[in-house]
Amino acid sequence: MDINEKYKDLWQLKEDTYRTIDFDMPLIIYMDGKHITSNHKKYNLLKIPNFSNDLIDSAEKTCLKLHLSAELYAGIDELALIIREPSILKEFDVGDNANYINLIFMQHFLKIFWEKYPEVVFKSTIFNISNENISRYIEYRKEICYSGALWYIAKEYLPKEDYKELTASTDMENLLKERNLWQYFEENTQLRSGIYKSVSILDNIIASRFV
């Protein structure tokens, strides 16, 4: 009897955990750094350049290495890669298995990222999205970033008693205005708006011919 047939039930346990992706739809690879925001001073979240710059830089290098065009958005300790034409990922030679594709991409990304932050780990997932929802997704990530920035500035400069009962972003906005921190918040555009960058393999190839 074939080994896989003999242990078919155990093989199926593994198969049941798999998801697949559609190479004909845009794809998002999303990652979230673990224990970064609780150590915001160590990871330089409030200054420029900051942790988000390092996420973008490593993601761009990874995309260029893999010949992958993508839109990158980083906010605080989170990164989203939006791949409008993911068929190039077929070159990973693992079929349409979402688990495998995400893992291979993350290995390439972390090899670069760990040169600066060898201790940082990420939660990561991969999923398809419609073209119509891409702009909404970016706006969603920006709103998360904006809300997070309000809290990190409060945590950095104000006593916990001043904000511990607050839950709404509008309340945090009012608090920063009352404590003369609103101008600092508005001027720190990377913290409150995140960083967006488009990586085009075609543009990079054309540019390299003129270097």
Side-chain angles (χ1 to χ4, degrees):
M1 179 184 293
D2 178 81
I3 294 176
N4 286 334
E5 183 64 27
K6 180 179 179 181
Y7 297 102
K8 186 176 180 179
D9 59 325
L10 300 182
W11 175 267
Q12 193 61 44
L13 290 175
K14 174 175 71 73
E15 290 289 304
D16 289 344
T17 68
Y18 290 157
R19 294 185 302 107
T20 59
I21 63 164
D22 186 343
F23 288 115
D24 294 323
M25 287 183 65
L27 186 71
I28 289 178
I29 298 176
Y30 166 80
M31 56 189 83
D32 180 5
K34 291 279 288 179
H35 307 303
I36 303 301
T37 54
S38 58
N39 294 286
H40 68 274
K41 292 185 178 180
K42 176 181 179 180
Y43 294 109
N44 195 23
L45 296 185
L46 299 179
K47 298 180 181 179
I48 298 176
N50 57 27
F51 191 78
S52 296
N53 291 98
D54 296 321
L55 290 172
I56 290 288
D57 182 62
S58 295
E60 180 179 13
K61 289 177 180 177
T62 305
C63 288
L64 294 176
K65 179 180 179 182
L66 299 175
H67 307 290
L68 185 65
S69 295
E71 296 166 67
L72 314 176
Y73 177 77
I76 305 178
D77 63 339
E78 301 176 356
L79 174 68
L81 293 90
I82 303 163
I83 307 166
R84 292 182 184 265
E85 298 181 3
S87 58
I88 186 68
L89 296 175
K90 291 179 181 179
E91 295 184 8
F92 285 178
D93 197 26
V94 291
D96 59 359
N97 188 301
N99 306 51
Y100 292 165
I101 292 171
N102 190 37
L103 183 58
I104 291 174
F105 181 89
M106 287 301 299
Q107 289 178 58
H108 285 286
F109 172 82
L110 289 172
K111 185 176 181 180
I112 296 170
F113 193 79
W114 279 342
E115 291 177 3
K116 187 168 185 178
Y117 301 103
E119 76 284 3
V120 172
V121 295
F122 290 87
K123 298 179 290 183
S124 179
T125 189
I126 185 172
F127 54 93
N128 285 112
I129 190 171
S130 67
N131 276 300
E132 294 76 15
N133 277 322
I134 289 177
S135 60
R136 288 186 64 236
Y137 182 79
I138 294 174
E139 286 304 312
Y140 162 59
R141 299 308 327 164
K142 285 183 176 179
E143 289 191 25
I144 293 292
C145 179
Y146 180 92
S147 177
L150 291 169
W151 288 94
Y152 295 128
I153 289 178
K155 289 179 180 180
E156 178 71 10
Y157 295 105
L158 299 175
K160 187 175 182 179
E161 292 73 21
D162 290 357
Y163 59 82
K164 66 179 182 179
E165 301 295 333
L166 302 181
T167 57
S169 293
T170 52
D171 293 332
M172 290 298 297
E173 290 173 345
N174 291 331
L175 178 63
L176 296 188
K177 291 174 182 177
E178 291 172 3
R179 302 305 170 86
N180 297 316
L181 290 169
W182 186 250
Q183 183 177 349
Y184 172 72
F185 175 77
E186 287 193 315
E187 291 175 350
N188 198 332
T189 55
Q190 283 193 187
L191 179 66
R192 63 181 174 83
S193 300
I195 306 171
Y196 173 89
K197 187 168 188 176
S198 178
V199 179
S200 170
I201 293 300
L202 179 60
D203 289 346
N204 186 69
I205 292 173
I206 293 173
S208 67
R209 292 175 179 173
F210 293 93
V211 173

